Amino acid sequence: MRVAGVLQRHGASSSGGLLGRGVAAALEWKQCGASELCGACGGQQQRRPFSTDGPFRYIKPKFVERKKHFNEVLIFGDRRKLLDTAQDVLNDRGREFPRAFWEILAKRCIQSLHLFNALELAIIARAFDAHSVVLKRPDLDIYGSIASSVLQLQGRHPGVANVVLADVLSRRLPVYKLSLLQDILRKLGRQAADSMWELSASHAVRLLQILTEAAVQDPALCSRIGGKLLAQLRNNPSPHEAAPLMHPEELGNAAAAFAGQNQRNLELLRELELHTRGTVAAPLVLESLAKLGIDVLPDEPPDLPLEQQAFLGEQRGQQS
């Protein structure tokens, strides 16, 4: 528009000088200042923005790299987190945990069973057993999964782990898994026979009782438990020994377990009958003896001391 106005000002009468007048108009357009340009645009000078920064461009952000401990969340917990949670649950048996907590814990434990050893499996099994947790979903069968993992374990098991696993699985596995339970108890019995020095007499008797109730025969384990129990009954434990004297009911259960295993250890059964005489466990011991076809012998009278022969001089002095 400005070029057209300049051309009209000079006039365009002849077409021959059109080129020269166009050049002159272009030079005049170049000489136009900013003031004329602003006037032509209505008195407002327009500026094109040259930056995309906002009004907060002077605020310098401080980026802090936050540590995300996903292993401390139960649903993403690692092996250590799962064991710590199981131990906390055991230490707080009076607290009721929500069902969602047990489902997440069971799911994570089942996914990580290949990482646990026998003692850690016993801790997890006892944690669910102490709170009587029953999860009916097939994918959350924690006891069945632990039972399958026990059969795949290699190496020696701690003695207390054998007792805990046998106690929990014998009560929590359903009846239709009896064959699986018997296989587990046979393996735990062999492991306990090799680690008898780690078990107290009470724990050993409890393990033998579990095997007897499941119709599992283990003569080697019976002989070792019988020798351990006989030594404890004959010799009172020293003050420094951790194992206290057994309760009469435990002795009665021991007699019933040996009878169920068809173990005819006459010395042991005699000691059991003597230690339970006059207690509530006496009928159970007598019934076990009768089942094995062993007669109860009466007490032998104590040996009377022999009379000492006196010298002839003493006899004469006494007579006089």
Side-chain angles (χ1 to χ4, degrees):
M1 294 176 65
R2 181 60 178 170
V3 176
V6 173
L7 293 175
Q8 290 178 3
R9 187 185 309 170
H10 290 276
S13 57
S14 61
S15 60
L18 184 60
L19 181 59
R21 287 192 294 271
V23 173
L27 293 174
E28 187 179 356
W29 167 260
K30 186 177 180 180
Q31 292 176 359
C32 292
S35 59
E36 296 181 4
L37 183 62
C38 291
C41 296
Q44 297 180 358
Q45 185 176 3
Q46 295 181 357
R47 293 182 180 180
R48 186 176 181 180
F50 60 93
S51 176
T52 57
D53 292 340
F56 304 102
R57 63 180 178 273
Y58 298 106
I59 300 177
K60 296 182 179 180
K62 296 181 180 180
F63 297 101
V64 180
E65 184 179 359
R66 300 185 180 276
K67 297 181 179 180
K68 298 178 176 60
H69 300 281
F70 293 106
N71 58 340
E72 296 297 330
V73 183
L74 184 58
I75 196 172
F76 301 112
D78 54 1
R79 170 177 169 273
R80 181 178 178 181
K81 176 62 178 178
L82 297 177
L83 291 176
D84 291 343
T85 304
Q87 190 62 51
D88 294 340
V89 167
L90 281 175
N91 296 336
D92 196 2
R93 299 192 179 188
R95 179 181 174 184
E96 294 184 2
F97 294 88
R99 186 177 184 83
F101 167 80
W102 292 112
E103 291 180 354
I104 294 175
L105 182 59
K107 184 177 180 180
R108 287 295 299 131
C109 289
I110 292 174
Q111 294 174 350
S112 306
L113 284 177
H114 62 283
L115 302 175
F116 300 128
N117 55 29
L119 185 59
E120 294 166 349
L121 288 176
I123 294 175
I124 295 174
R126 181 63 77 186
F128 282 87
D129 176 66
H131 290 264
S132 300
V133 180
V134 178
L135 301 175
K136 297 182 179 181
R137 289 174 49 182
D139 58 333
L140 298 180
D141 185 11
I142 185 65
Y143 301 111
S145 302
I146 291 176
S148 301
S149 298
V150 170
L151 290 177
Q152 299 176 2
L153 290 176
Q154 302 294 331
R156 193 185 68 84
H157 304 172
V160 65
N162 297 323
V163 178
V164 173
L165 288 173
D167 178 58
V168 174
L169 296 179
S170 63
R171 292 183 289 102
R172 295 299 181 179
L173 286 180
V175 180
Y176 64 87
K177 292 186 177 181
L178 179 60
S179 60
L180 175 61
L181 176 61
Q182 291 177 345
D183 294 339
I184 294 173
L185 293 180
R186 290 189 186 96
K187 181 175 182 179
L188 295 178
R190 291 192 300 267
Q191 292 287 337
D194 296 334
S195 59
M196 190 58 59
W197 54 275
E198 296 181 353
L199 296 176
S200 64
S202 300
H203 290 163
V205 168
R206 174 56 185 163
L207 180 60
L208 185 61
Q209 184 181 2
I210 294 173
L211 266 68
T212 304
E213 293 175 355
V216 177
Q217 302 290 329
D218 195 338
L221 182 63
C222 288
S223 61
R224 296 197 178 188
I225 293 178
K228 187 180 186 69
L229 183 58
L230 182 62
Q232 182 170 350
L233 293 177
R234 287 182 174 179
N235 304 320
N236 294 329
S238 62
H240 302 286
E241 189 175 352
L245 289 175
M246 298 180 64
H247 196 269
E249 294 182 357
E250 295 178 342
L251 298 178
N253 294 331
F258 281 107
Q261 294 285 332
N262 198 19
Q263 185 73 15
R264 298 174 58 86
N265 191 338
L266 300 180
E267 296 182 3
L268 174 61
L269 295 174
R270 175 63 174 173
E271 292 292 336
L272 290 175
E273 194 273 330
L274 291 177
H275 281 78
T276 57
R277 185 173 298 178
T279 62
V280 294
L284 183 59
V285 175
L286 295 178
E287 181 181 355
S288 302
L289 295 176
K291 182 178 180 180
L292 293 173
I294 300 176
D295 298 331
V296 180
L297 299 178
D299 293 339
E300 298 179 358
D303 296 335
L304 298 177
L306 298 178
E307 297 182 359
Q308 298 181 357
Q309 296 181 359
F311 292 103
L312 295 177
E314 294 180 358
Q315 293 180 357
R316 292 177 182 176
Q318 292 176 359
Q319 292 177 0
S320 62

